[in-house]
Amino acid sequence: MDFETSQSSQASQTSQASQSHQQSQSAHTFQVDLRGLVDLLSHHLYSSPKVYLRELLQNAVDALTARRAGEPDAPARVRLFADGTTLRVEDTGIGLTETDVHELLATIGRSSKRAEGLQEARSDFLGQFGIGLLACFVVADRIRVVSRSARVPDAPPVEWTACDDGSYTVRTLPRSARPEPGTTVHLQARAGAGEWLTEERVLALARDFGSLLPYDVRVGEEAVTDLPAPWDRSYPSPAARRVALARHCHELFGFTPLDSIDLDVPLAGIRGVAYVLPSAVSPAQRAGHRVHLKGMLLTDRAEQLLPDWAFFVRCVLDTDSLRPTASREALYEDETLAGVREALGERIRSWLADLAAGDPERLAAFLSVHHLGVKSLARHDAEMLSTMLPWLPFETTDGQMSLEEFAQRHPVVHFTRTVEEYRQVAPIASAQGIGVVNGGYTYDSELVEALPSVRPGTAVAELDADTVTAHLDPVDPAEELALSGFLAAARARLDPLGCDVVLRAFHPLSVPALHLDDRAARHEQARAQAEAQADDLWAGILGSLRGSAPRARLVLNHLNPLVRRIGSLRDTELIGTATESLYGQALLMAQRPLRPADSALLNRAFIGLLEWATHHGTDAPGEDHR
């Protein structure tokens, strides 16, 4: 789509009118509303007006690259001068002829990298889409380009001046206007955009975008480039290198890393470093990585660069193989990016394996913060699970330890699938000598189930209420028969809640009651609750779904003195109130979420015990009712 020139618009209209009389059909040229196009660029294609400077640097660097392709010893300089209202960018690149100016600067979608004689060097260029100077209209209302070609030494300098209304003019200049080959771009700030053309802002943007560019780039007298890159520099010792990279990370990302990982993938033309975050982050949090393309910053928010499990690092790297999107602010998802992602993931995996083999202290420090990320990797990678098994921490009834150590202590590795189930059984199971792993945290139950695949012969079993109950000592039949009246009253009180009452003897003695259920029992409770609240139609449907799952159970500890005293009561109502109190206390100990019926029960039991205590106190003031 070509811009209409100010000189030729009238002639074009006359020609088109003449042709319309001569033929019924004629070809037309798309008209371009430049102001609308600039609005599209600034609000939809580019994330910020700051990209105008990247486009200018990119054009200058590509011009230098093109000239160096034919003249390896040609000067390679870029100079920027800003004063808040204007910006001047000078380069010693290949320059343009008048023909190049008409063909390239005023055309959307045609990149100068397609020009004759430059195609062989195309892979070394940054720009690929031919949008070029249009981005400058985001901050400027007038652009003037003065250029002299190095490919055609006899060609005079040419001046191209464009305005944001879509018009442009071209004229040739005397040789004195541009004695040497190269290009100078002048920007005139549009109203309200002067802040983008201040020297301080231009220097900051130039350093952000161009710190790794392979040429001499300066803003005024201030150097922009800082080569070699921190990860490619020589240091007197590994410790000095770690300190320098930590400083670089802090300057770039704002944190001091736990460690740094070299990212060197020669086949993909990648060099860089990954910094390990010093604090835990959510796996769902999108990571922002900095990616340079041939030295020019492409994006500082690359999200798809690493595998999802590697959310504990932030990367900065330079590449010459990955493709940018049209806005040049993100990576194009293709087979190359997928291969790079896999290669970088392998590099991080190797770093973890090296730590496990040779630096357990640093590995322990890392896992204390980022064990979740490693568990995410290990559940899909048997080799990584085998490597990390002695190091990954799990919550168990024996304390915090690895699965390897836990499996050495217990012939059967029992685990629960939820934190609530673990809290129910942990104190009792520990006292009974049952080893239990809390599999309720993210990835833990999957890793426990995968344990036999990397540790053959290990028995793994999910722990349910029946297993726990089976490990509790039964009460002497004669004693249980003597308490049959008490047990009947207790069961009658909890039956509406879908809970049975069982009498057992277990340690520790300080636990009067244990509430046990499993997922099937909780599902049945939820179904029954929904049935009670539904209308007749839904109640019938839910009733047809009634399962045969075992109900929850309240296991009373016959060894506990309080339970013994309650068992000796003869008042049925008081037995029911005491049973409700034990039920509520068992729920709270397991840190289970309370249903409305459970909350009402706790309140009722508390009030009932207060009424009983105060009633007996007033009936017999001088009597001891302990």
Side-chain angles (χ1 to χ4, degrees), residues 276-551:
V276 181
L277 290 164
S279 56
V281 294
S282 167
Q285 180 176 331
R286 290 292 185 178
H289 307 295
R290 289 177 65 91
V291 178
H292 295 255
L293 179 61
K294 303 180 184 71
M296 180 73 74
L297 179 67
L298 178 68
T299 178
D300 57 3
R301 297 188 303 275
E303 296 177 351
Q304 69 273 46
L305 185 65
L306 295 180
D308 291 340
W309 56 260
F311 56 82
F312 49 82
V313 299
R314 296 292 179 268
C315 295
V316 54
L317 55 83
D318 188 26
T319 177
D320 59 16
S321 65
L322 297 178
R323 293 174 57 194
T325 59
S327 67
R328 289 190 288 280
E329 295 187 284
L331 297 172
Y332 185 80
E333 186 69 47
D334 58 10
E335 292 181 359
T336 301
L337 179 56
V340 166
R341 185 186 300 121
E342 183 178 349
L344 294 180
E346 181 59 35
R347 183 65 196 89
I348 296 173
R349 185 186 288 108
S350 298
W351 170 78
L352 285 170
D354 292 343
L355 284 187
D359 200 339
E361 291 184 2
R362 286 171 65 197
L363 178 63
F366 166 76
L367 289 178
S368 67
V369 178
H370 295 299
H371 57 272
L372 194 59
V374 180
K375 287 180 177 180
S376 174
L377 170 61
R379 69 193 177 118
H380 296 303
D381 190 323
E383 181 180 350
M384 184 53 60
L385 176 60
S386 178
T387 301
M388 292 288 109
L389 196 61
W391 307 100
L392 288 173
F394 289 80
E395 182 180 358
T396 77
T397 49
D398 293 350
Q400 197 87 350
M401 64 177 57
S402 71
L403 288 182
E404 175 70 25
E405 183 179 358
F406 188 81
Q408 291 174 358
R409 296 186 179 190
H410 300 278
V412 178
V413 178
H414 289 98
F415 72 98
T416 62
R417 292 192 181 276
T418 68
V419 175
E420 289 79 10
E421 290 173 349
Y422 178 79
R423 288 171 178 165
Q424 287 181 77
V425 303
I428 309 305
S430 179
Q432 307 304 312
I434 306 173
V436 184
V437 178
N438 185 355
Y441 296 115
T442 306
Y443 311 132
D444 283 10
S445 62
E446 297 174 69
L447 292 176
V448 175
E449 289 180 303
L451 185 58
S453 66
V454 296
R455 197 177 190 275
T458 303
V460 173
E462 183 176 355
L463 188 68
D464 55 22
D466 288 336
T467 303
V468 176
T469 305
H471 279 79
L472 304 180
D473 295 333
V475 177
D476 181 84
E479 292 187 49
E480 186 166 4
L481 181 62
L483 295 172
S484 58
F486 158 70
L487 291 175
R491 287 167 180 156
R493 183 58 65 95
L494 295 187
D495 183 69
L497 296 174
C499 183
D500 291 332
V501 177
V502 178
L503 189 64
R504 292 290 187 273
F506 56 87
H507 292 273
L509 301 180
S510 58
V511 177
L514 178 66
H515 181 271
L516 294 177
D517 64 2
D518 52 26
R519 287 187 303 280
R522 288 194 295 274
H523 176 75
E524 177 61 21
Q525 286 180 345
R527 187 210 57 78
Q529 184 177 3
E531 180 182 357
Q533 297 173 353
D535 56 28
D536 292 341
L537 173 62
W538 282 106
I541 295 174
L542 291 170
S544 67
L545 299 177
R546 182 180 295 111
S548 58
R551 306 206 308 170

Side-chain angles (χ1 to χ4, degrees), residues 14 48 92 94 153 204 304 345 377 535 541 550 562:
T14 302
S48 166
T92 58
I94 197 165
Q304 69 273 46
L377 170 61
D535 56 28
I541 295 174
L562 176 62

Side-chain angles (χ1 to χ4, degrees), residues 207-230:
R207 284 177 171 167
D208 191 40
F209 285 122
S211 62
L212 300 183
L213 290 174
Y215 301 119
D216 179 15
V217 183
R218 295 177 182 272
V219 176
E221 298 299 323
E222 297 290 334
V224 169
T225 54
D226 185 20
L227 295 176

